Amino acid sequence: MLQLLQDRFQQIIVILQNPEYWWQFLILAIAACLSALINVRLQQRLEQNNTQSSGLRHIAVRAAQRIVWPLTALGLILVGTGILRNYQLPTTILDVVVPILAALALIRLCVYILRKSFSQNPLLHSSENLLVLLVWSVVIMHLMGWLPTVLSMLDSMAFTMGETRITLLSTLQLLLIVVLAFILAIWLSELINHQVARMPGMSLSMQVGINKFSRFLLLTLAFLLALNAVGINLSSLAIFGGALGVGLGFGLQQIASNFISGFILVLDRSIKPGDVITVGEKFGWVQELKARYIVVRNREGVDTLIPNENLITSEVINWSYADPNVRVSVPVQISYEDDPEEAMQLMLECATASERVLENPPPTVRLTEFGDNGICLEVRVWIADPVNGFMPVRSDINVAIWRAFKKAGITIPYPQRDLHIKSMPSERNLTIATRADAAPGNQPAQDGSSE
């Protein structure tokens, strides 16, 4: 390796001393200056278009801004290379710069696509570093002349399965193509999702359905096209399909059930983002519909992940399924000594203490029953935003009723019980029992012990 580096250094010295190579340095300088000027002009023009663009056009403009300089410099250098070759002058230096600029443009474009396809996380950052390392490694091996040897070595590491010869090179190609195809598919699905979300009149459930279907379809097509690109016969996937069916039958039926249930929920539009639902003891509003589960957030801000299968097979209360209006009941008890009609009138006046109470349907007050401790009354109001919870409305009405009752002298009774004694012991028996308790033998010992 040291000898190779010394040889390369000697070649560079010879190149710098040869006047024929000075034309290449001149072309590099001209390409650098012109590409910088063109880059400034194009960046200004692209930035003006970017302020008025959105969607796919916005993404295309942002991608162009990242690769305009290396591609401009690459084009100018290729023109200079053609001119020098026309006059039979050496182009060794330019031949080295060309793959470097191409690699730089490819890296910038791939990293931008990665960032637009996935949310920012440590895995994405490591993937960007791995991509940069891979591209520059290929460029360095190409410049050093090692790339054909490395490819031949990877192709020689192979084994045969039936009529198919599987090599390490083909495996790496398959992995690379699958990753690139999946990234492109996810990026296209996110783009479709953004475009659908901007369509007027499109319901949330329909948006989720289109998003799920497009992502599933694009990922499937990406996988099949990647297999076809590396020369794998798609008819040979019949064995894989059979194995997958056996796996679904034995161990993956729950996953498949949740996945299919997710499509059912989207198609029948029984649950959609923003709905207020109750599943068992879980109450909250739907945040997201995922492929395997839904996200339900309660009033405490806690997210509960409920499998899609549970929503299909169990009872679900959807408070906002057909009509967002929900009735809220506030029970109150008053004493039997108070006038219930006066209390009902006061409760009706206090029903509008909360700003969320609707005027239509109007609030009502009902006498529900005569309880053990008092007369049971109930004020019933309607609200149109159950997603904000019921307790604030109940609290406002209860406080208003408390103030009104206190001002009018109406009491809220405590729990009480009436005790009726049917018989009492006679005076003689009561006297004998009292004397027996007072006998000396029944007195406790002075030291606290009992005899």
Side-chain angles (χ1 to χ4, degrees):
M1 182 64 70
L2 182 60
Q3 183 64 34
L4 181 61
L5 293 177
Q6 292 178 354
D7 294 341
R8 294 293 184 183
F9 182 74
Q10 293 295 332
Q11 292 177 3
I12 294 174
I13 297 298
V14 172
I15 289 174
L16 293 176
Q17 294 177 351
N18 191 348
E20 293 182 352
Y21 290 95
W22 293 352
W23 291 105
Q24 300 182 52
F25 292 108
L26 179 60
I27 291 177
L28 287 176
I30 295 174
C33 296
L34 289 179
S35 62
L37 294 175
I38 295 174
N39 179 59
V40 172
R41 293 293 181 88
L42 289 179
Q43 291 290 351
Q44 294 176 353
R45 182 66 62 84
L46 291 173
E47 189 64 30
Q48 293 176 356
N49 294 332
N50 191 35
T51 56
Q52 302 175 356
S53 62
S54 59
L56 181 60
R57 184 178 179 181
H58 173 77
I59 296 175
V61 170
R62 286 298 187 186
Q65 287 180 323
R66 284 163 172 77
I67 62 175
V68 61
W69 178 79
L71 290 183
T72 304
L74 179 62
L76 293 174
I77 290 177
L78 289 177
V79 172
T81 302
I83 295 175
L84 293 181
R85 287 177 179 175
N86 187 39
Y87 289 97
Q88 297 182 353
L89 293 175
T91 59
T92 307
I93 301 176
L94 300 182
D95 292 339
V96 173
V97 176
V98 167
I100 293 177
L101 291 175
L104 181 61
L106 179 62
I107 290 173
R108 289 187 173 184
L109 181 61
C110 292
V111 168
Y112 177 71
I113 293 177
L114 278 175
R115 291 177 179 176
K116 296 301 292 186
S117 301
F118 305 97
S119 58
Q120 289 293 333
N121 51 59
L123 180 61
L124 175 61
H125 184 68
S126 60
S127 300
E128 293 178 359
N129 295 334
L130 180 62
L131 175 63
V132 173
L133 179 62
L134 178 63
V135 174
W136 284 120
S137 299
V138 173
V139 172
I140 291 174
M141 287 189 293
H142 172 72
L143 296 178
M144 302 294 290
W146 298 345
L147 188 58
T149 304
V150 173
L151 294 179
S152 300
M153 182 182 65
L154 295 176
D155 188 65
S156 63
M157 303 171 64
F159 65 93
T160 303
M161 180 180 294
E163 298 180 355
T164 305
R165 181 175 180 269
I166 301 176
T167 65
L168 182 58
L169 178 61
S170 62
T171 304
L172 294 177
Q173 290 176 347
L174 175 62
L175 292 176
L176 180 61
I177 294 175
V178 167
V179 170
L180 294 178
F182 273 29
I183 291 175
L184 182 59
I186 294 175
W187 178 67
L188 287 177
S189 66
E190 290 294 332
L191 180 61
I192 293 174
N193 187 26
H194 289 308
Q195 294 295 329
V196 170
R198 299 178 55 190
M199 293 183 179
M202 183 71 68
S203 62
L204 291 177
S205 58
M206 186 62 67
Q207 293 178 14
V208 174
I210 293 176
N211 183 26
K212 285 187 175 183
F213 180 76
S214 62
R215 175 165 295 195
F216 176 76
L217 179 63
L218 289 173
L219 289 178
T220 303
L221 289 177
F223 181 71
L224 295 178
L225 291 176
L227 294 179
N228 190 32
V230 296
I232 297 179
N233 189 5
L234 298 181
S235 61
S236 61
L237 295 179
I239 300 177
F240 174 75
L244 180 61
V246 174
L248 292 175
F250 282 99
L252 302 178
Q253 64 270 26
Q254 292 295 331
I255 297 177
S257 177
N258 288 321
F259 184 75
I260 296 174
S261 298
F263 278 99
I264 295 175
L265 291 175
V266 171
L267 293 177
D268 63 9
R269 294 184 292 180
S270 58
I271 295 176
K272 56 186 179 298
D275 284 351
V276 182
I277 65 173
T278 300
V279 183
E281 298 181 355
K282 305 296 183 182
F283 170 82
W285 61 94
V286 180
Q287 294 293 109
E288 295 178 278
L289 296 178
K290 297 292 187 179
R292 190 180 61 84
Y293 57 86
I294 70 169
V295 182
V296 178
R297 178 171 297 176
N298 60 12
R299 294 295 298 169
E300 287 76 23
V302 179
D303 291 335
T304 302
L305 309 182
I306 302 177
N308 293 327
E309 184 183 8
N310 293 4
L311 304 174
I312 299 295
T313 59
S314 61
E315 180 178 344
V316 179
I317 300 176
N318 192 337
W319 297 87
S320 53
Y321 176 67
D323 188 358
N325 294 349
V326 177
R327 192 179 72 177
V328 180
S329 300
V330 182
V332 178
Q333 278 192 353
I334 62 172
S335 174
Y336 280 103
E337 299 177 356
D338 298 320
D339 184 6
E341 294 182 350
E342 180 184 0
M344 293 173 65
Q345 182 61 34
L346 293 175
M347 292 174 63
L348 187 61
E349 295 174 359
C350 297
T352 57
S354 176
E355 297 179 353
R356 295 169 54 190
V357 174
L358 300 178
E359 296 181 359
N360 189 21
T364 59
V365 180
R366 295 289 183 264
L367 194 157
T368 58
E369 62 175 326
F370 296 99
D372 297 335
N373 305 316
I375 302 175
C376 300
L377 306 177
E378 188 174 271
V379 57
R380 300 171 179 176
V381 298
W382 289 82
I383 62 174
D385 52 349
V387 68
N388 294 324
F390 306 139
M391 192 55 64
V393 178
R394 290 195 178 102
S395 176
D396 294 340
I397 296 176
N398 279 327
V399 171
I401 292 175
W402 170 260
R403 292 174 179 172
F405 280 7
K406 188 175 182 181
K407 184 177 181 181
I410 299 176
T411 58
I412 298 176
Y414 293 101
Q416 54 186 340
R417 295 291 183 270
D418 292 336
L419 179 62
H420 300 277
I421 301 176
K422 293 185 178 181
S423 62
M424 288 289 291
S426 61
E427 184 177 354
R428 180 174 178 275
N429 294 334
L430 183 61
T431 303
I432 294 173
T434 304
R435 290 177 179 177
D437 292 339
N442 294 332
Q443 295 296 328
Q446 296 296 328
D447 58 357
S449 61
S450 61
E451 297 181 358

